[in-house]
Amino acid sequence: MGGPEVWEVIGVIDPDGDRAEWTFTAEPGAVRTARQAVRGQLRSWSLDSLTDLAALLVSELVTNALRHATGPIGVRLVRPSELNGVLLVEVSDPLPDPPRERIPRPEDESGRGLQLVASSSRRWGTRPGTAGKTVWFELAVPE
């Protein structure tokens, strides 16, 4: 909220880990399509217990990207082999500005997406990309 913007950079992704990635055009149907892609991939990885939460958080971040960006939106899921018990989820868009968490008023119909990501994930952050930014979060994979 107040103070300088903080960009946390996460480490290099382990090339031996499982990964899936998609690019969606910036149109309203992207939210539903991204949610379906995430659900399908997590089921194929036998991570059914994370499906609803991951799909919800991806929906929030893709919706934010649609509100502010006009270019393609990327979604990536990674299960790094070196970080057992972690699912990394990334949503990228071409807008360079980091998202800002805000405190919505009770009557506001939007503005709760980043609060939901922050309260539901193990960790989350943003990082700049070559063109745009990536918002990421980690979910704990049940043993």
Side-chain angles (χ1 to χ4, degrees):
M1 303 239 267
E5 297 293 337
V6 176
W7 293 77
E8 181 173 344
V9 178
I10 57 175
V12 175
I13 300 301
D14 178 0
D16 296 328
D18 294 328
R19 74 176 67 214
E21 42 192 309
W22 306 271
T23 301
F24 304 100
T25 56
E27 58 188 27
V31 175
R32 181 181 60 243
T33 307
R35 193 171 44 238
Q36 290 170 340
V38 166
R39 285 180 180 280
Q41 187 61 55
L42 292 180
R43 283 189 190 112
S44 76
W45 285 345
S46 299
L47 294 177
D48 297 54
S49 62
L50 296 179
T51 300
D52 289 340
L53 179 57
L56 172 65
L57 299 182
V58 164
S59 293
E60 292 294 331
L61 294 178
V62 171
T63 298
N64 283 351
L66 282 173
R67 282 197 178 119
H68 304 290
T70 57
I73 299 165
V75 175
R76 183 162 80 157
L77 305 176
V78 181
R79 288 176 58 186
S81 61
E82 65 189 32
L83 295 174
N84 222 1
V86 171
L87 173 70
L88 172 65
V89 181
E90 300 177 333
V91 176
S92 303
D93 67 55
L95 192 67
D97 302 324
R100 282 191 238 173
E101 226 178 320
R102 66 183 185 93
I103 299 172
R105 297 179 310 242
E107 66 273 10
D108 288 347
E109 292 185 14
S110 64
R112 293 171 182 81
L114 287 178
Q115 287 181 337
L116 187 59
V117 170
S119 66
S120 302
S121 61
R122 206 175 91 160
R123 299 188 314 147
W124 78 281
T126 61
R127 69 171 185 270
T130 53
K133 68 169 169 313
T134 297
V135 180
W136 60 268
F137 61 87
E138 291 178 352
L139 296 177
V141 175
E143 303 273 333

